[in-house]
Amino acid sequence: MDQHTVSELLRKVREVNPLVHNITNVVVTNFTANGLLAMGASPVMAYAPEEVADMVKIASSLVLNIGTLDGPTVESMILAGKSAEKHHVPVIFDPVGAGATCFRTESAQKIINEVKISVIRGNASEIANVVGEKWEIKGVDAGSVKGDVVNLALAAAKRFNCVVVITGKEDIATDGSSTFVIANGHPLMTKVTGAGCLLTSVIGAFAAVTKDYLAASVSALTFYGVAAEKAAEKTGNQGPGSFQSEFLNQLSLVSSKEIAQLGSFKEL
Ligand code: ATP
Ligand code: TZP
Ligand code: MG
Ligand code: MG
């Protein structure tokens, strides 16, 4: 794939305006809805066991995020996930904080075992902990990365038979055979809570318009990273508050032409 694929999938998202059903955490709910709206998708948050299966039926993708999980919400996620499989809706999973507590690790593994997942996106520690490696994690933030992130992503993709995305300074996306490294992004992203969670939902928007979930992931990562770079260029000396609102602006403003100029990824 090349920058043209990214531009074309972004154009398609903005044309189709896909409904992305999110079961996410209380920290990032508003930021996620605004980010999806800005980029040209249509967000809905719905958690009740009485309605999740019906909401998934009319959605184009389902995003599951365990950032502020509790027992009943995990059960809702599994109900929604089963409905997604029945209705051929892709599921994108963010195992926020896996490894920080046993409840998070075990809930993440339960969701992966019971739901057919198309893409898992997390920081290196979260992905390591879901595959049973005990990499250090500080709450929801990755600890210092000590292992080989590409091998970790490959192992996870093969184990779970899905696309795995590991983010950080550089992002990795693999389906277990083809692997891409995406260089776009900006360190100010680490100063905005929900930067990772919104990215998972943005992958959901791209996965709604193609069945090639690796291309969807690489496209989402490139688009998102370019938006971050443009926001930093405009507001970088003003601090995270201005950066956060300009980042939302850039999710709506980044054009196909800018992706062709600024997008930076390579296949390993
Ligand atoms: P963590 O909680 O460990 O920060 P996260 O779930 O917030 O993880 P990130 O890894 O921060 O997710 O990724 C979110 C976005 O921020 C991605 O697009 C990623 O490329 C970008 N990003 C994160 N750190 C950097 C960095 N140091 N330089 C450039 N971009 C970064
Ligand atoms: N605590 C529980 S969920 C959450 C925090 C701070 C948000 C994490 O968002 P991200 O995208 O992983 O930074
Ligand atoms: Mg972060
Ligand atoms: Mg995260």
Side-chain angles (χ1 to χ4, degrees):
M1 67 171 289
D2 57 18
Q3 268 90 345
H4 177 73
T5 312
V6 183
S7 300
E8 180 51 24
L9 289 179
L10 176 61
R11 191 198 58 72
K12 217 164 157 188
V13 170
R14 287 175 172 159
E15 178 189 294
V16 170
N17 186 227
L19 181 63
V20 181
H21 176 186
N22 303 267
I23 304 181
T24 188
N25 69 73
V26 299
V27 182
V28 307
T29 304
N30 180 269
F31 183 56
T32 302
N34 278 321
L36 286 169
L37 281 173
M39 73 172 292
S42 181
V44 64
M45 279 59 179
Y47 302 82
E50 293 85 352
E51 71 165 351
V52 287
D54 289 341
M55 190 63 81
V56 169
K57 221 191 289 183
I58 58 163
S60 301
S61 59
L62 171 68
V63 176
L64 304 177
N65 175 311
I66 62 165
T68 50
L69 79 176
D70 55 32
T73 310
V74 171
E75 292 312 316
S76 279
M77 289 183 186
I78 291 170
L79 275 176
K82 302 265 185 227
S83 175
E85 181 170 2
K86 189 167 158 200
H87 299 289
H88 310 289
V89 171
V91 179
I92 324 301
F93 179 50
D94 191 330
V96 183
T101 65
C102 289
F103 182 50
R104 278 174 195 263
T105 313
E106 286 165 12
S107 298
Q109 289 166 342
K110 183 175 177 187
I111 290 165
I112 292 170
N113 285 336
E114 296 194 26
V115 173
K116 185 175 175 289
I117 309 267
S118 297
V119 184
I120 303 178
R121 200 286 320 164
N123 64 43
S125 303
E126 289 160 346
I127 301 301
N129 277 282
V130 292
V131 297
E133 288 188 30
K134 298 201 177 342
W135 291 23
E136 175 204 345
I137 184 155
K138 186 178 183 184
V140 298
D141 291 329
S144 51
V145 174
K146 298 212 172 72
D148 183 326
V149 179
V150 172
N151 278 341
L152 173 63
L154 279 166
K158 285 177 189 152
R159 165 97 70 94
F160 302 131
N161 193 26
C162 68
V163 171
V164 170
V165 172
I166 297 181
T167 54
K169 188 173 182 303
E170 282 189 332
D171 302 325
I172 316 287
T174 184
D175 61 3
S177 51
S178 305
T179 303
F180 290 83
V181 180
I182 298 89
N184 296 109
H186 194 276
L188 271 169
M189 293 299 265
T190 63
K191 301 295 175 200
V192 174
T193 193
C197 298
L198 170 56
L199 170 60
T200 305
S201 292
V202 168
I203 295 172
F206 278 85
V209 299
T210 174
K211 285 192 171 18
D212 182 344
Y213 301 124
L214 182 57
S217 300
V218 174
S219 300
L221 291 161
T222 306
F223 161 67
Y224 202 76
V226 168
E229 287 169 11
K230 287 190 62 201
E233 196 183 307
K234 287 194 89 169
T235 65
N237 52 359
Q238 293 167 39
S242 304
F243 172 76
Q244 184 188 19
S245 23
E246 185 55 33
F247 178 64
L248 286 180
N249 292 338
Q250 291 302 331
L251 288 176
S252 76
L253 294 173
V254 167
S255 65
S256 297
K257 200 171 152 204
E258 285 167 322
I259 283 172
Q261 285 164 349
L262 302 171
S264 171
F265 60 85
K266 63 170 192 271
E267 186 169 2
L268 292 183

